[in-house]
Amino acid sequence: MDPSGGCPHAANARLLARGAVAPVVLPGEVEAMAVIGHDALKEFLSHPDVAKGATHFTALREGRIPDGWPLKTFATVQGMTTADGDDHRRLRSLVSKAFTSRRVEALRGRVEEVTAELLDGLAAAGRPGQDGQDGPHVVDLRADFALPLPMGVICELLGVDEVFRDQLHHLSNQIVATDISPEDAMAANRDIVAVLSAVAASRTENPGEDLTSALIAAREEDGDRLSGHELIGTLLLMIIAGHETTLNLITNAVRALCRNRDQLELVMHGKASWSDVVEETLRWDSPVSFFPFRYPTRDLTVDGTVIPQGTPVLAGYSAAGRDKAAHGDDADVFDVTRYATGSTTRHLSLGHGAHFCLGSSLARMEATIALERLFTRFPDLDVAVTEAELPRHASFVGNSVQRLPVSLWSIPTP
């Protein structure tokens, strides 16, 4: 795996041509496997002999994974993503109350309000003729729109004060980076734990109508509740997953629509929905490329390939989304009508099985509202540089670009 990240799709195509399961080497020469075919991944994600707990990670258990390994947090953080069985059900039940359909729908008004505020800010920043320039200004849609919407919503949901938000986004980026040095990786983990501990302390002292306060107070029928490490791990998971995925989803959808304006026209004329755009983006350019980790609890054969017990396995969402065996010979084509016509298999980009993304409804709602309001307000919006000029994430976990410069209005023809 290339620790510097980049666009995964060409490499994914080469791997898929060889099979649905691929041996890979992680940073630090750690041997692993990646499940990349759609059907194989669906089977693997829900297999009863596949675990998430790091006690099943043979190399980690034997002391062969050093501190500062860039992917270690994914294995060792204490929370839903590394829990199995009863522990997973306990942790998920404590959090799931905040993500019921009713609770998510109740957030719609706030999402629409934040979206409107951000669009007003974009309009002011991108207005033509400022600073003596004749043409429209270019704005960074990722930094000024796609980021603050989900970050603001998840932080409000968790009761995270605004003073912490920029720092949490910066630290989240470092934690999902795969080209980071051991020293920087350890520092990022220390810093984010310190920030989240401060958040937890603030909510303990001044509880409110937020999820962090509810988690601190929550007790199940037997009197159990989250330990201190589980609380911090849960907050870390929700901060990262609650904004990074949606941030990448919105960014990737805008890029796809601007590069495929015939598809944008279909949506603008009511021949496809904004929900269709979200689902096709999730399939075609998954916000998460390769997600760590799962471990077979015995030697496991998947699509004819043996994955040895205790091997760390990556879930290859970006590869599975373009698997032609599942999505047809035109799987590389961005087509917003796929799901409306039922011509493709349902994607796996939000997971499958017991660990299916808990915030999927919120992410879909945020992205749908954001895209509809954005292109309604700025129908001529276009990416201001070529795709090759967009700097990619320095990670094979997240799949997107670091910046998205756009012009909001077309330049009038003289």
Side-chain angles (χ1 to χ4, degrees):
M1 305 299 295
D2 182 358
S4 65
C7 183
H9 299 300
N12 288 347
R14 290 193 294 270
L15 287 175
L16 280 167
R18 298 168 58 184
V21 181
V24 296
V25 180
L26 302 176
E29 301 300 310
V30 176
E31 294 184 357
M33 303 286 276
V35 182
I36 54 178
H38 177 278
D39 290 346
L41 182 57
K42 186 174 182 180
E43 174 191 351
F44 184 77
L45 292 176
S46 59
H47 200 288
D49 295 322
V50 172
K52 293 280 280 180
T55 56
H56 299 281
F57 186 174
T58 300
L60 181 66
R61 190 177 65 247
E62 294 177 351
R64 292 187 278 122
I65 303 297
D67 289 338
W69 189 53
L71 296 166
K72 194 169 185 177
T73 298
F74 288 100
T76 59
V77 64
Q78 293 187 36
M80 288 182 296
T81 59
T82 55
D84 296 302
D86 290 342
D87 269 348
H88 176 252
R89 285 186 285 273
R90 173 177 61 86
L91 293 168
R92 192 173 176 100
S93 69
L94 290 170
V95 178
S96 61
K97 298 179 183 65
F99 293 98
T100 63
S101 298
R102 182 181 61 81
R103 292 290 295 273
V104 169
E105 187 58 32
L107 291 170
R108 179 177 293 275
R110 182 56 181 150
V111 172
E112 292 174 339
E113 182 181 344
V114 173
T115 300
E117 293 170 357
L118 292 171
L119 291 175
D120 287 344
L122 284 178
R127 186 171 293 117
Q130 291 185 344
D131 301 331
Q133 295 186 16
D134 293 331
H137 275 205
V138 171
V139 296
D140 184 352
L141 193 76
R142 183 176 175 87
D144 297 335
F145 182 70
L147 167 61
L149 173 58
M151 191 63 168
V153 171
I154 194 65
C155 285
E156 286 187 22
L157 186 64
L158 292 172
V160 175
D161 295 333
E162 192 165 348
V163 67
F164 295 122
R165 295 179 187 180
D166 286 346
Q167 188 179 10
L168 284 172
H169 173 62
H170 170 69
L171 293 170
S172 296
N173 268 334
Q174 291 190 297
I175 286 172
V176 302
T178 48
D179 69 341
I180 192 170
S181 70
E183 296 77 17
D184 288 342
M186 288 189 288
N189 276 279
R190 285 195 303 268
D191 290 348
I192 202 166
V193 167
V195 173
L196 294 176
S197 296
V199 171
S202 175
R203 296 281 68 81
T204 300
E205 185 176 347
N206 299 295
E209 298 297 319
D210 56 81
L211 182 55
T212 302
S213 299
L215 290 174
I216 292 169
R219 292 181 183 271
E220 296 182 305
E221 292 179 1
D222 62 358
D224 193 13
R225 66 176 180 177
L226 276 78
S227 69
H229 288 302
E230 288 173 336
L231 175 62
I232 298 303
T234 298
L235 293 178
L236 187 151
L237 159 69
M238 295 184 69
I239 287 290
I240 295 178
H243 89 279
E244 288 280 355
T245 302
T246 309
L247 163 60
N248 289 350
L249 173 57
I250 295 171
T251 301
N252 292 357
V254 171
R255 289 166 50 224
L257 290 169
C258 289
R259 304 300 189 205
N260 299 273
R261 299 200 79 89
D262 60 323
Q263 299 299 298
L264 177 59
E265 288 299 311
L266 288 176
V267 184
M268 298 294 281
H269 289 91
K271 296 180 180 178
S273 69
W274 291 105
S275 177
D276 293 331
V277 172
V278 170
E279 298 307 314
E280 178 65 348
T281 304
L282 285 166
R283 179 201 71 82
W284 187 74
D285 205 12
S286 173
V288 176
S289 192
F290 289 90
F291 192 79
F293 289 116
R294 285 172 167 81
Y295 320 94
T297 58
R298 61 173 177 83
D299 289 356
L300 191 66
T301 301
V302 178
D303 197 55
T305 299
V306 176
I307 305 177
Q309 177 181 345
T311 300
V313 181
L314 301 172
Y317 294 119
S318 63
R322 296 199 186 189
D323 182 0
K324 294 182 179 181
H327 302 290
D329 291 339
D330 64 344
D332 291 336
V333 176
F334 182 76
D335 178 3
V336 297
T337 68
R338 286 179 193 273
Y339 289 104
T341 60
S343 62
T344 194
T345 305
R346 176 64 57 180
H347 64 77
L348 299 171
S349 293
L350 294 170
H352 179 69
H355 287 272
F356 181 79
C357 177
L358 192 60
S360 60
S361 296
L362 178 58
R364 282 173 162 132
M365 182 181 73
E366 288 175 332
T368 302
I369 291 172
L371 293 168
E372 178 179 11
R373 302 298 170 86
L374 175 68
F375 282 100
T376 299
R377 181 82 172 264
F378 306 112
D380 294 324
L381 180 149
D382 205 358
V383 179
V385 298
T386 67
E387 187 70 18
E389 294 175 284
L390 294 172
R392 300 286 311 192
H393 266 323
S395 172
F396 55 75
V397 178
N399 173 40
S400 194
V401 295
Q402 296 179 26
R403 297 186 297 277
L404 187 61
V406 301
S407 56
L408 303 177
W409 293 278
S410 61
I411 300 175
T413 302

